Amino acid sequence: MSASLQSTLKGFCNNRVWRSIFRRAPARTNRTRSIAIFGNLFLHALPVKVREKSLRVRATYYLGSFSFFLFVVLTLTGIMLMFYYHPAAPKAYNDMKDLRFVVSEGIFLRNLHRLAAQAMVLAVFWHMFHVFYRGGYKPPHEFNWVIGVVLLLLTLFLSYTGYLLPWDQLAFWAITVGTNIISYIPILGKPTRFLLLGGHEIGENALLRFFVLHCVILPLAMIVLIALHFWRIQKDGGLTIRESDERK
Amino acid sequence: MSENRKFEAGIGSDFSKDPVRIVFITKKTSAKVRGVLRDQVMSYPHVVLREIIAFELLTIVLVLMALFWDAPLEQLANPLLTPNPAKAPWYFLGLQELLHYFPPIVAGVLIPVLIIIGLVAIPYFDLNVKGEPLWNARRTPRLRIFCGIVLIFLMFFGVYKAWSIFVTTAIIAALAVAGYFVPAGRGSAIEYLRSRSLPWWLMTWFIIMACILTIIGTFFRGPGWSWVWPWR
Ligand code: HEM
């Protein structure tokens, strides 16, 4: 039984159609396994081979991976939420009510998006602290750390712009508190706040601007910088292995 | 191996060796290249599989939580009805707590900008590249500078009556200074603290401070940003 299953699978992976899609034979030799990575648009973010020590859970706790996966989950659920959302006051609020009471599984969708957003902030912070304590920022990784700081700011700003979108009291006043701080910046403060809100007060213009930032500009910036971050890990020669781990 | 060989060359298909192979040797300068055997594995399937498992675990946890927890939704936004207190999202509550102590220009602008500059600068100070313990060399001058700076900070916190920050900073600084006085080879916990570097202490102070301020801002602040006990 299992032998025939295996040969069926083999046949499934080793024919013209399969090869036309993946551009390689089944990944059973080191050559085809290499091609599986660098011949694939998505997987070639990974190096072809990695040090076994950098695979240990303790080396990363997969925190960077979790940050990335949360971003993926947020993108997917976010796109689905956009089908039900109008960035207009007070329609945006009614859309939230509809998600809860009208759209089937709408509340589940919103819960997922909100949870993943909180989790991503946590994961990114934790990832940063973990990298710090492992010394992952040391040469040649310095600039990837700087990219990371920008990623952290983007994550916070993404989360923050999303906070306004439900247009409820919680959203409105949280953004009021935050944007008031901006106006304390000397000289640039007031114009910056005006630019961000599209006016002096938080209203429909601010909602629209936050929507565009949250759904278009910041995610695009995030995608570019995450790609840069991963590419740099590869170019910098893989993850940092501490001397103390080297001996084990 | 004969004595007068000036080079060594080889080819190999062992994936676990570094692929450093081509060497040109001119005249007498000879280069010797050796593949270093390392603990390498193929990313496919080893990394790919692990990442898939991580993703699945994450999905399971998220879905379970999303089933039992509901995203909050309050009343429609109303600019005329200010809630008391109005709170920022949780990850900014540490900053909002700072606003309670310090003037807005300090808490809202100066401190965040300094934090960002500090974070960006971390890899460019070679302070921690070796991770040298704080009290390894030049002990006494370092102790003077360290205590001096801590005292200035404590005075600053005291002037603004930021007692939560004051106490936390004092405790962490005392732990750091304790390493100066405790002789080597006493208990593993003390030894651990003794062997920490200055950046380690700075980052640890920053993280603990941020956590404490965030927790206070989230749970212990009520109307008018007055102190409340969450269980009352
Ligand atoms: C959206 C946010 C981020 C994503 C998706 C992300 C993703 C990753 C991933 C997948 C890795 C590989 C291994 C690991 O998990 O540690 C990594 C490594 C790294 N990350 Fe991030 N990261 C993010 C934010 C940050 C931040 C905020 C920093 C620091 C300020 C940072 C600095 C680094 C550095 C220096 C490395 C290399 C570590 C080493 O060599 O050991 N990253 N990142």
Side-chain angles (χ1 to χ4, degrees), chain A residues 27 30 47-53 62 65 93 100 110-111 118 132-133 137-138 145 159 167-169 173, chain B residues 15 39-41 43 50-51 66 69-72 74-75 77-78 81 83 90-91 119 128-129 203-204:
Chain A
N30 286 334
V48 165
K49 50 192 178 183
V50 298
R51 304 234 3 224
E52 186 267 327
K53 290 194 171 73
Y62 289 80
S65 310
Y93 180 75
R100 175 160 290 178
R110 196 174 156 229
N111 290 350
Q118 318 283 330
F132 175 83
Y133 284 121
Y137 56 84
K138 291 173 191 175
W145 172 272
S159 179
W167 203 248
D168 62 347
Q169 281 286 76
W173 290 100
Chain B
F15 72 84
D39 57 329
Q40 287 181 322
V41 294
S43 300
R50 282 171 170 80
E51 298 292 348
W69 173 90
D70 273 349
E74 295 186 355
Q75 296 299 310
N78 183 352
L81 197 71
W90 64 266
Y91 41 83
L119 284 176
N128 196 27
V129 167
M203 184 58 113
T204 307

Side-chain angles (χ1 to χ4, degrees), chain A residues 54 59-71 120 123-125 127-132 134-138 140-155 222 225-226 229-230 232-233 236-241, chain B residues 51 119-120 122:
Chain A
S54 66
T60 61
Y61 290 112
Y62 289 80
L63 288 166
S65 310
F66 282 131
S67 310
F68 173 65
F69 294 150
L70 283 164
F71 179 68
M120 183 167 170
V124 172
F125 266 117
H127 169 62
M128 174 170 83
F129 296 145
H130 186 78
V131 168
F132 175 83
R134 283 187 66 81
Y137 56 84
K138 291 173 191 175
H141 305 266
E142 308 103 304
F143 193 66
N144 217 12
W145 172 272
V146 178
I147 297 170
V149 175
V150 181
L151 279 172
L152 172 73
L153 295 178
L154 276 178
T155 307
M222 193 76 158
L225 274 147
I226 289 180
H229 196 58
F230 288 179
R232 276 304 295 246
I233 296 175
D236 294 341
L239 300 183
T240 306
I241 313 266
Chain B
E51 298 292 348
L119 284 176
V120 170
I122 283 177

Side-chain angles (χ1 to χ4, degrees), chain B residues 97-134:
Chain B
E97 176 70 11
L98 285 180
L99 274 174
H100 172 68
Y101 299 122
F102 304 116
I105 182 88
V106 175
V109 184
L110 203 62
I111 293 181
V113 168
L114 285 181
I115 290 176
I116 295 170
I117 292 178
L119 284 176
V120 170
I122 283 177
Y124 297 102
F125 281 105
D126 63 349
L127 279 170
N128 196 27
V129 167
K130 292 204 202 69
E132 179 209 8
L134 180 52

Side-chain angles (χ1 to χ4, degrees), chain B residues 5-213:
Chain B
R5 246 175 92 177
K6 292 276 192 293
F7 64 89
E8 200 178 83
I11 51 164
S13 58
D14 184 355
F15 72 84
S16 62
K17 289 186 178 177
D18 280 351
V20 191
R21 283 300 176 275
I22 300 175
V23 188
F24 290 101
I25 299 158
T26 56
K27 297 190 181 156
K28 278 183 194 133
T29 41
S30 71
K32 196 167 182 178
V33 177
R34 278 220 179 105
V36 188
L37 208 72
R38 280 173 150 189
D39 57 329
Q40 287 181 322
V41 294
M42 298 299 290
S43 300
Y44 189 101
H46 296 279
V47 178
V48 177
L49 254 178
R50 282 171 170 80
E51 298 292 348
I52 291 174
I53 293 171
F55 185 71
E56 287 179 348
L57 285 179
L58 176 77
T59 315
I60 292 170
V61 171
L62 274 182
V63 166
L64 282 181
M65 286 176 73
L67 285 175
F68 295 107
W69 173 90
D70 273 349
L73 186 66
E74 295 186 355
Q75 296 299 310
L76 176 67
N78 183 352
L80 304 176
L81 197 71
T82 314
N84 193 357
K87 287 194 181 184
W90 64 266
Y91 41 83
F92 285 149
L93 284 182
L95 279 181
Q96 205 178 342
E97 176 70 11
L98 285 180
L99 274 174
H100 172 68
Y101 299 122
F102 304 116
I105 182 88
V106 175
V109 184
L110 203 62
I111 293 181
V113 168
L114 285 181
I115 290 176
I116 295 170
I117 292 178
L119 284 176
V120 170
I122 283 177
Y124 297 102
F125 281 105
D126 63 349
L127 279 170
N128 196 27
V129 167
K130 292 204 202 69
E132 179 209 8
L134 180 52
W135 309 118
N136 243 18
R138 303 200 301 117
R139 287 162 54 91
T140 316
R142 278 190 190 171
L143 183 71
R144 287 209 193 99
I145 298 171
F146 186 86
C147 290
I149 292 177
V150 169
L151 281 181
I152 293 173
F153 268 88
L154 286 181
M155 267 159 58
F156 177 75
F157 300 146
V159 166
Y160 284 104
K161 299 194 174 61
W163 298 121
S164 56
I165 306 179
F166 185 96
V167 173
T168 316
T169 308
I171 292 176
I172 294 175
L175 283 175
V177 171
Y180 178 88
F181 296 102
V182 181
R186 283 271 203 87
S188 56
I190 297 174
E191 195 53 37
Y192 180 80
L193 290 182
R194 234 178 57 85
S195 60
R196 297 301 98 187
S197 61
L198 180 62
W200 188 93
W201 283 107
L202 282 176
M203 184 58 113
T204 307
W205 171 71
F206 172 73
I207 295 176
I208 293 178
M209 210 62 259
C211 289
I212 289 183
L213 289 176

